[in-house]
Amino acid sequence: MAATEIRNYQAADLPLLGELYNAVNTRENVTFWWVGEESNWENVYCAFEGEKMIAKGQVEVFNIVPPGRSSDNKHNVFINLRTIPEREEDYELMDSLYGYLLSRAQQLKESFPGPYSTLLCVGNDSSDRVNNQYFAQHKGFSHFKSLYSMERDLTESIQPLELEEGYDFTYWLMETERMEQDYLELEAEVWPDSALGNSRLAQYKQNPLWTAMVIRQGEHIVGSTMAWKSEDIEETREVEGAEGLAGVGVVEDVFVREPWRKRGLAKYLLVQALSYLKEQNLARAELVVLSTNDSALSLYTSVGFRVSSEEIRYCIEI
């Protein structure tokens, strides 16, 4: 057997990366991250034997807790680790690549603000037995949370809703840094344990057709959501009856602030997001929700979403 070489991804590796991707995706429901722009390649490590890429690992900062939050909050760094199918249970290979990912995650951790600790996380489809077993049993990761992916067929009719008098609905592109900070402060008020942060907001805004939608009462933003077109390389499945439509829309970060809840505002935002995505000739919409969030599941189901898969996330503290 040829010696194994592990190093950062390079532009010349693209054909080998494509071969690895095709090999990994012979099985359904496998999470395989794409390498992104060159600025991200320092977070991507590839394993080679001879002229073949046999595995790839990747690190991504998912959530940095802003200063001033409760010390119970934790920064989140996620990793993704994949091998060719015949080496899925080669723990020696997996461990070698995991060591690089852990080291990189610890380097990134040094730049995060205190006093918060950092979780190293991995997320896979619930059916991905081998990869889940590697992290949960071999590396000592603990169950973190489970999430449902939900889909909505945009070829189906969308029932319009009327907004209660006294409220205004608008699209909001957050053109200035001040606007972004205003949004992030509101979002952190609603999700203090998993605030979005500047980095992920910037990533979201780079997606095609991205827009935020807000409901205001006077000068107050009382609720919001975002929508965009997915660029996921796996989003190629067609929807039956969707001739002339292409692509998948994403609905993200649906929230209504505490004093304005239970007034139908979240449902109104969802209908507006679905209508927007349908107007862009997209075939279906997707969102993600905690499997334990019964109220959100009921809301999403009420506008036509259905559960399509379950993701299990595991973590350790680093």
Side-chain angles (χ1 to χ4, degrees), residues 193-205:
D193 295 335
S194 56
L196 188 64
N198 291 289
S199 178
R200 273 203 296 157
L201 176 58
Q203 290 177 9
Y204 288 170
K205 291 182 70 175

Side-chain angles (χ1 to χ4, degrees), residues 24 61 79 129 132 142 172 223 235 237 239 245 247 258 289:
V24 169
V61 177
I79 59 174
R129 181 190 61 81
N132 286 331
S142 300
W172 189 30
E235 297 297 356
R237 179 164 53 88
V239 174
L245 304 182
E258 180 66 41
V289 59

Side-chain angles (χ1 to χ4, degrees), residues 25 35 75 98-99 132 136 139 147 163 182 184 186 200 212 219-220 236 242 246 252 261 265 268 311 316:
N25 280 277
V35 295
H75 308 299
Y98 174 78
N132 286 331
K139 305 309 294 184
L147 305 101
L163 188 59
D182 288 344
L184 290 172
L186 293 174
R200 273 203 296 157
E219 297 180 356
H220 299 288
T236 58
E252 181 72 33
R261 291 176 185 169
L265 300 181
Y268 183 87
E311 177 189 350
I316 58 169

Side-chain angles (χ1 to χ4, degrees), residues 3 15 67 75 83 88 134 184 191 199 208 213 256 279 284 293 308:
H75 308 299
T83 72
E88 280 187 311
Y134 171 75
L184 290 172
W191 311 112
S199 178
M213 306 172 190
V256 174
E279 290 167 1
R284 73 179 190 275
N293 192 339
S308 58

Side-chain angles (χ1 to χ4, degrees), residues 128-282:
D128 195 354
R129 181 190 61 81
V130 175
N131 204 269
N132 286 331
Q133 182 174 287
Y134 171 75
F135 287 101
Q137 299 182 17
H138 184 66
K139 305 309 294 184
F141 281 55
S142 300
H143 181 264
F144 183 28
K145 61 180 70 170
S146 297
L147 305 101
Y148 290 138
S149 290
M150 304 187 75
E151 294 184 357
R152 210 284 191 181
D153 184 347
L154 293 176
T155 66
E156 297 177 354
S157 62
I158 301 171
Q159 186 66 37
L161 294 177
E162 294 293 328
L163 188 59
E164 186 179 327
E165 187 175 350
Y167 295 98
D168 295 304
F169 170 83
T170 57
Y171 293 92
W172 189 30
L173 297 180
M174 302 183 206
E175 295 93 340
T176 68
E177 184 177 343
R178 179 66 261 174
M179 290 179 181
E180 292 181 349
Q181 293 308 309
D182 288 344
Y183 172 83
L184 290 172
E185 288 174 12
L186 293 174
E187 201 263 356
E189 171 191 307
V190 177
W191 311 112
D193 295 335
S194 56
L196 188 64
N198 291 289
S199 178
R200 273 203 296 157
L201 176 58
Q203 290 177 9
Y204 288 170
K205 291 182 70 175
Q206 291 173 3
N207 286 292
L209 304 177
W210 176 90
T211 186
M213 306 172 190
V214 296
I215 295 175
R216 288 183 170 87
Q217 186 178 48
E219 297 180 356
H220 299 288
I221 294 176
V222 302
S224 179
T225 191
M226 300 182 199
W228 62 78
K229 180 181 178 181
S230 173
E231 287 193 304
D232 194 319
I233 57 176
E234 296 187 44
E235 297 297 356
T236 58
R237 179 164 53 88
E238 295 181 356
V239 174
E240 184 177 353
E243 292 83 1
L245 304 182
V248 177
V250 175
V251 179
E252 181 72 33
D253 218 20
V254 183
F255 71 81
V256 174
R257 297 169 68 193
E258 180 66 41
W260 291 275
R261 291 176 185 169
K262 298 184 179 179
R263 303 184 187 186
L265 300 181
K267 188 170 184 178
Y268 183 87
L269 286 165
L270 281 166
V271 168
Q272 294 302 313
L274 290 171
S275 298
Y276 169 77
L277 294 171
K278 185 168 186 172
E279 290 167 1
Q280 310 306 317
N281 293 320
L282 301 180

Side-chain angles (χ1 to χ4, degrees), residues 33-168:
W33 292 358
W34 204 240
V35 295
E37 301 296 329
E38 185 174 357
S39 59
N40 187 57
W41 295 351
E42 62 182 342
N43 297 320
V44 183
Y45 298 88
C46 304
F48 302 86
E49 286 181 357
E51 298 299 317
K52 185 174 184 178
M53 185 185 295
I54 60 170
K56 179 185 74 70
Q58 199 160 325
V59 180
E60 180 176 340
V61 177
F62 186 75
N63 179 54
I64 299 177
V65 182
R69 307 295 180 205
S70 166
S71 59
D72 293 335
N73 293 318
K74 300 179 188 297
H75 308 299
N76 290 177
V77 178
F78 272 73
I79 59 174
N80 178 249
L81 176 53
R82 291 294 169 187
T83 72
I84 54 177
E86 58 267 32
R87 303 286 287 274
E88 280 187 311
E89 297 186 69
D90 184 344
Y91 282 4
E92 183 176 353
L93 171 62
M94 296 279 283
D95 285 348
S96 297
L97 204 49
Y98 174 78
Y100 283 84
L101 302 180
L102 177 61
S103 177
R104 179 57 180 159
Q106 290 170 331
Q107 290 175 3
L108 292 167
K109 171 188 171 183
E110 296 303 314
S111 66
F112 300 163
Y116 318 107
S117 56
T118 299
L119 294 179
L120 183 64
C121 311
V122 63
N124 289 311
D125 190 89
S126 58
S127 65
D128 195 354
R129 181 190 61 81
V130 175
N131 204 269
N132 286 331
Q133 182 174 287
Y134 171 75
F135 287 101
Q137 299 182 17
H138 184 66
K139 305 309 294 184
F141 281 55
S142 300
H143 181 264
F144 183 28
K145 61 180 70 170
S146 297
L147 305 101
Y148 290 138
S149 290
M150 304 187 75
E151 294 184 357
R152 210 284 191 181
D153 184 347
L154 293 176
T155 66
E156 297 177 354
S157 62
I158 301 171
Q159 186 66 37
L161 294 177
E162 294 293 328
L163 188 59
E164 186 179 327
E165 187 175 350
Y167 295 98
D168 295 304

